[in-house]
Amino acid sequence: MPIIHISSLNHPGVEVFSQLTEAQLRNRLEPDKGIFIVESPKVIRVAISAGYEPLAMLCEEKHIQGDAADIISQQPEMTIYTGSRELLQQLTGYTLTRGVLCAMRRPQARKVEEVCRKAKRIIVIDGVVDTTNIGAIFRSAAALGMDGIVLSRSSCDPLNRRAVRVSMGSVFLVPWTWLDDYQQLKDLGFKTAAMALTDNSISLDDERLKTEPRLAIVMGTEGDGLPKETIDNADYVVKIPMAYGVDSLNVAAATAVACWELRKR
């Protein structure tokens, strides 16, 4: 495999790891040329096992025969850029997570029908923009057996570098895609459960929710929650019973609670 030792921050090819913004990596004008960045050997292995295509790696020299050796040996066509820890820290602006970054090809977005065709329980992420919350939601959804995730176009990209890192690779395990219209879910037989505090909210442990054959659990943005239209059009409006006068949980924590309570029995 081509191993390139770099001694300059301006070496051709490494700009993908340092100079390109998330928007430039995503490449909305030419999605088939989009790239995303994965950190740490463990998460890189999860991505490769899930079928994602690695293009180039940036790592400290010691990891070529160390933590990243198995990844490198299995990807003979992948370009490896390496250099000193100090140089790579200057290049990326921070100490690398376990000393390894990997640039991967962004896959084509799935169709909603593909993600939801066999699903019984899915999460809808509506307008959540915090990368940490996105990653945590995916991790909970994977751990607690959700069949898929769909996101509004106003939500953060799950393949954002920090979202991938926080999810510990769960973004590669749970099928997901973008949602343009809630009617798409209704046409597929889903009932929607909007997580919101209203006078008409039912409790999360309401038996009606557990017996729904296909349920979409809708989580709203940090702070403002779900849009009124989304709440008004939902089949159920649902709240988590709380104590000590606490009125809400962080969206990632609330998602974990909802996933556990409404998981497939």
Side-chain angles (χ1 to χ4, degrees):
M1 76 288 297
I3 298 178
I4 301 174
H5 294 263
I6 64 172
S7 57
S8 166
L9 301 180
N10 298 317
H11 195 286
V14 299
E15 64 276 358
V16 67
F17 297 105
S18 60
Q19 298 177 21
L20 299 185
T21 66
E22 288 288 344
Q24 289 170 326
L25 288 170
R26 189 170 176 179
N27 203 345
R28 293 188 178 184
L29 295 179
E30 297 182 87
D32 58 327
K33 296 181 180 179
I35 294 171
F36 65 99
I37 305 297
V38 182
E39 301 180 29
S40 91
K42 179 178 181 179
V43 180
I44 293 168
R45 292 186 192 103
V46 174
I48 293 174
S49 295
Y52 288 76
E53 178 187 354
L55 301 174
M57 180 180 287
L58 176 70
C59 67
E60 296 175 35
E61 294 173 350
K62 65 180 182 180
H63 292 308
I64 293 177
Q65 301 299 326
D67 286 351
D70 61 315
I71 300 171
I72 293 171
S73 66
Q74 294 168 15
Q75 306 296 328
E77 302 300 320
M78 180 173 60
T79 301
I80 314 297
Y81 297 99
T82 187
S84 69
R85 183 181 182 87
E86 293 73 24
L87 178 66
L88 299 191
Q89 184 171 350
Q90 292 180 54
L91 179 66
T92 61
Y94 56 91
T95 302
L96 299 186
T97 303
R98 297 190 61 83
V100 183
L101 293 178
C102 187
M104 294 190 157
R105 190 178 306 282
R106 177 178 287 273
Q108 289 188 340
R110 294 179 168 99
K111 295 183 181 298
V112 172
E113 293 79 3
E114 179 185 350
V115 171
C116 298
R117 184 179 299 118
K118 297 181 180 180
K120 304 300 182 183
R121 293 290 185 270
I122 65 170
I123 297 295
V124 181
I125 301 176
D126 192 326
V128 176
V129 297
D130 183 271
T131 54
T132 299
N133 283 334
I134 290 289
I137 289 171
F138 267 83
R139 191 171 183 180
S140 293
L144 298 172
M146 296 295 105
D147 298 313
I149 295 177
V150 294
L151 304 94
S152 69
R153 299 283 180 178
S154 57
S155 295
C156 170
D157 176 21
L159 296 183
N160 173 283
R161 183 183 302 187
R162 181 168 178 78
V164 170
R165 181 170 72 246
V166 172
S167 82
M168 292 299 294
S170 296
V171 296
F172 309 125
L173 303 178
V174 183
W176 65 271
T177 193
W178 302 101
L179 180 71
D180 293 310
D181 189 340
Y182 279 92
Q183 187 60 45
Q184 293 175 279
L185 299 180
K186 292 183 181 296
D187 291 344
L188 290 168
F190 281 90
K191 293 293 181 67
T192 54
M195 301 296 295
L197 291 173
T198 72
D199 293 338
N200 300 319
S201 297
I202 64 173
S203 176
L204 181 64
D205 58 3
D206 191 297
E207 289 299 323
R208 287 173 290 178
L209 298 172
K210 299 176 184 180
T211 57
E212 284 291 351
R214 311 191 87 183
L215 190 66
I217 307 164
V218 187
M219 310 302 301
T221 184
E222 307 87 346
D224 294 335
L226 290 168
K228 184 177 184 300
E229 181 182 5
T230 299
I231 296 172
D232 291 344
N233 291 331
D235 296 292
Y236 301 98
V237 183
V238 183
K239 65 181 178 181
I240 300 172
M242 299 186 193
Y244 291 101
V246 176
D247 64 351
S248 64
L249 294 174
N250 165 276
V251 65
T255 301
V257 174
C259 287
W260 170 255
E261 183 64 32
L262 299 178
R263 70 194 187 283
K264 294 173 293 185
R265 297 299 203 275

